[in-house]
């Protein structure tokens, strides 16, 4: 079955860039997503990328997709303490359900 | 804005009790989902529904059932709660009209089974 892997923890200093990485196994993925979960809350979509794109930029967020290596990354520029959260990578196969990674906890220190 | 509302944020139940977790969405979404979230395991899909009265098993349906009698409401049922069902339960919905397939999540229901 599909599998989505991501590192469990990342710690950065405020003002630095954060890069969260994700690998997936399903070559037929149509969309890939980054969701953010703040403490005590549900998940909220941060950004997504269609599988025929290589890059997507949205303000401080940059998503890079390497389809050959099945690697997805999320770069957060000028990371702020408010960016501290759990970040989930997810993929959609066809137009079916999403498969989520286990989440990366990002801790931003002042 | 899309709103997905889960009726209970925190529940404490005893082993063997029947538990209902309710979820309502207000955007006329066709698809609704129940996930559970556990530390180190991420989100795992329990059940989902593409339409009223339809349900499909996810990855971990054992010990759970669901009900979708109305389009806006999707209920998760634990017929006889067990301690290994202590978890955070997340409901989500999505529209078939949205090509991105974005899921909208509720804030979660944290269930403790004693």
């Amino acid at each position: 079955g599909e599998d989505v892997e991501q590192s469990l923890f990342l710690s950065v200093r405020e003002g630095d860039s954060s890069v969260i990485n994700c690998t997936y196994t399903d070559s037929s993925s149509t969309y890939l997503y980054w969701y953010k979960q703040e403490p005590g809350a549900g998940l909220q979509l941060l950004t997504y990328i269609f599988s025929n794109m290589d890059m997507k930029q949205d303000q401080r967020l940059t998503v890079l997709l390497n389809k050959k290596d099945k690697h997805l990354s999320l770069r957060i520029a000028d990371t702020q303490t408010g960016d501290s959260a759990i970040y989930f990578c997810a993929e959609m196969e066809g137009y079916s359900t999403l498969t989520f990674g286990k989440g990366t906890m990002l801790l931003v220190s002042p | 804005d899309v709103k997905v509302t889960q009726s209970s944020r925190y529940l404490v139940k005893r082993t063997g009790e029947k538990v209902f977790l309710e979820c309502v969405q207000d955007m006329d979404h066709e698809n609704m989902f129940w996930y559970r979230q556990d530390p180190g395991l991420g989100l795992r899909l329990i059940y989902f529904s593409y339409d009223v009265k339809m349900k499909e098993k996810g990855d971990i349906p054992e010990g759970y059932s669901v009900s979708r009698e109305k389009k806006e409401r999707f209920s998760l049922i634990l017929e006889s709660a067990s301690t290994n069902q202590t978890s955070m339960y997340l409901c989500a919905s999505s529209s078939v009209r949205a090509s991105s397939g974005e899921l909208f999540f509720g804030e979660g229901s944290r269930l403790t089974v004693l």
Side-chain angles (χ1 to χ4, degrees):
Chain A
E2 304 90 355
D3 199 16
V4 179
E5 299 284 342
Q6 50 184 128
S7 53
L8 293 182
F9 187 75
L10 176 66
S11 178
V12 299
R13 290 197 176 275
E14 194 172 23
D16 288 349
S17 292
S18 306
V19 180
I20 303 172
N21 295 300
C22 170
T23 58
Y24 60 97
T25 57
D26 190 349
S27 58
S28 62
S29 297
T30 49
Y31 287 94
L32 294 123
Y33 307 82
W34 285 104
Y35 280 83
K36 178 183 180 182
Q37 184 181 34
E38 296 183 351
L43 278 69
Q44 191 170 21
L45 181 67
L46 263 186
T47 186
Y48 66 91
I49 188 167
F50 190 49
S51 57
N52 68 354
M53 296 171 64
D54 298 324
M55 186 181 89
K56 182 177 181 182
Q57 189 149 5
D58 183 3
Q59 298 181 344
R60 292 190 297 123
L61 305 178
T62 303
V63 178
L64 294 177
L65 175 60
N66 181 328
K67 282 191 71 176
K68 175 175 170 288
D69 296 336
K70 298 191 185 70
H71 183 267
L72 182 75
S73 67
L74 173 69
R75 179 176 180 270
I76 306 173
D78 187 26
T79 314
Q80 304 297 306
T81 54
D83 294 323
S84 292
I86 301 175
Y87 292 80
F88 290 91
C89 172
E91 64 161 356
M92 174 183 283
E93 179 192 6
Y95 292 97
S96 181
T97 58
L98 269 64
T99 299
F100 287 86
K102 291 180 171 53
T104 299
M105 179 177 287
L106 174 65
L107 180 64
V108 183
S109 53
Chain B
D1 282 349
V2 174
K3 194 164 175 67
V4 179
T5 303
Q6 295 184 227
S7 55
S8 304
R9 291 297 304 275
Y10 301 95
L11 303 93
V12 179
K13 298 292 182 180
R14 294 201 176 276
T15 300
E17 280 193 77
K18 191 169 185 176
V19 182
F20 291 88
L21 299 179
E22 305 284 347
C23 175
V24 177
Q25 49 91 6
D26 65 0
M27 280 300 291
D28 200 36
H29 283 174
E30 295 79 10
N31 306 325
M32 296 190 75
F33 306 82
W34 276 107
Y35 289 88
R36 64 177 282 177
Q37 181 180 11
D38 300 288
L41 296 178
L43 272 72
R44 292 179 291 168
L45 181 63
I46 306 171
Y47 267 98
F48 60 102
S49 169
Y50 286 138
D51 202 350
V52 176
K53 296 195 186 296
M54 290 183 64
K55 59 184 179 183
E56 299 284 342
K57 292 180 179 179
D59 299 319
I60 52 162
E62 296 79 18
Y64 303 93
S65 62
V66 290
S67 172
R68 185 127 182 242
E69 295 296 318
K70 293 185 177 182
K71 190 175 184 181
E72 67 270 18
R73 186 180 298 269
F74 192 35
S75 302
L76 180 69
I77 303 155
L78 288 67
E79 292 287 342
S80 178
S82 63
T83 54
N84 63 11
Q85 292 178 310
T86 291
S87 186
M88 170 71 89
Y89 290 89
L90 293 168
C91 175
S93 71
S94 69
S95 170
V96 298
R97 296 178 294 275
S99 58
S100 69
E102 177 184 356
L103 292 184
F104 294 86
F105 282 85
E107 294 200 329
S109 298
R110 185 168 292 282
L111 171 66
T112 300
V113 183
L114 302 176

